[in-house]
Amino acid sequence: GAVVSQHPSWVICKSGTSVKIECRSLDFQATTMFWYRQFPKQSLMLMATSNEGSKATYEQGVEKDKFLINHASLTLSTLTVTSAHPEDSSFYICSARIVGAGPLHFGNGTRLTVT
Amino acid sequence: DAKTTQPPSMDCAEGRAANLPCNHSTISGNEYVYWYRQIHSQGPQYIIHGLKNNETNEMASLIITEDRKSSTLILPHATLRDTAVYYCILNYGGSQGNLIFGKGTKLSVKP
């Protein structure tokens, strides 16, 4: 089946630094990928929609200059958390679907801890 | 806000069937019912989806009422590894856009 891979699975960084998270579709092409965030004991919240070759679409309340998304190819989207602060500590999850059909497939998430 | 209602938690004995209900009384004609689950500290895993007919795959069965206002996910022989949060989600068409997650049902399978 379709596989979505995220890297890294966890990362610890200091406040003020930037962190890049990669999301790859391993065996299919994805023109659209979605980035979610999940705080402890809460459900997933959509942050942004990543579109190959064009600008990402951000949900209300998500700062596009803080969460930079790049979808440079049909198999790779990256999320960069810039100038990270402790309140950005969360579980970040990406998802993708095969072009035109099928359910969304999710990566295994990236646990970000900002100290 | 999510358009589905699920009980916050359920228990099930290992080896028995787990029946997880979901209410979606405002479902529209072209909305599918999708089920995902999330095991602790992992990304959500797709289970099954359907429009109006009952569906079955290697993981589970999905029973949708005739009026489509509710559905039930059935895990026929629950194992300890089925302990997870189960999400019932509505989505348009067979090809999904983003999914809106509610709070789901925390299923605990006990020995």
Side-chain angles (χ1 to χ4, degrees):
Chain A
V3 177
V4 175
S5 174
Q6 263 184 261
H7 179 80
S9 55
W10 61 270
V11 58
I12 301 172
C13 71
K14 292 186 182 300
S15 188
T17 62
S18 296
V19 173
K20 180 185 285 188
I21 302 170
E22 292 186 348
C23 179
R24 294 181 184 274
S25 55
L26 294 187
D27 50 359
F28 65 99
Q29 293 183 331
T31 55
T32 303
M33 293 184 176
F34 302 97
W35 286 95
Y36 291 81
R37 180 168 54 182
Q38 185 175 33
F39 291 107
K41 300 190 186 302
Q42 295 187 23
S43 190
L44 284 78
M45 294 295 293
L46 180 69
M47 296 177 65
T49 301
S50 171
N51 302 297
E52 188 268 335
S54 64
K55 291 183 179 180
T57 305
Y58 291 83
E59 295 300 299
Q60 192 171 9
V62 178
E63 299 175 55
K64 61 179 173 62
D65 294 329
K66 180 170 181 63
F67 298 99
L68 302 179
I69 291 173
N70 184 288
H71 194 153
S73 77
L74 287 173
T75 59
L76 174 64
S77 175
T78 60
L79 168 69
T80 302
V81 183
T82 63
S83 187
H85 290 286
E87 56 264 32
D88 298 323
S89 297
S90 188
F91 193 48
Y92 292 86
I93 308 168
C94 72
S95 67
R97 62 179 171 92
I98 297 171
V99 175
L104 274 179
H105 297 278
F106 288 80
N108 259 338
T110 297
R111 176 78 56 191
L112 171 63
T113 302
V114 184
T115 61
Chain B
D1 288 340
K3 295 172 60 178
T4 62
T5 304
Q6 299 177 252
S9 64
M10 291 181 64
D11 289 342
C12 177
E14 188 179 18
R16 305 297 293 269
N19 298 291
L20 292 94
C22 179
N23 287 325
H24 30 79
S25 58
T26 60
I27 190 170
S28 62
N30 57 352
E31 281 186 305
Y32 284 67
V33 181
Y34 282 83
W35 283 85
Y36 282 78
R37 72 180 182 184
Q38 186 178 24
I39 295 170
H40 183 63
S41 293
Q42 297 183 23
Q45 177 189 21
Y46 166 77
I47 301 173
I48 199 167
H49 73 283
L51 182 61
K52 50 185 175 182
N53 297 323
N54 297 336
E55 302 288 343
T56 295
N57 63 20
E58 65 277 5
M59 290 184 68
S61 294
L62 174 59
I63 308 299
I64 302 174
T65 58
E66 193 169 342
D67 63 8
R68 302 210 322 125
K69 294 188 176 187
S70 65
S71 60
T72 301
L73 178 74
I74 301 173
L75 307 179
H77 305 287
T79 70
L80 299 179
R81 288 180 296 178
D82 292 321
T83 293
V85 178
Y86 287 77
Y87 297 98
C88 169
I89 304 169
L90 304 184
N91 198 260
Y92 286 101
S95 184
Q96 296 171 276
N98 60 284
L99 297 177
I100 299 174
F101 285 79
K103 296 183 178 180
T105 296
K106 174 67 190 297
L107 174 69
S108 298
V109 181
K110 300 182 183 299

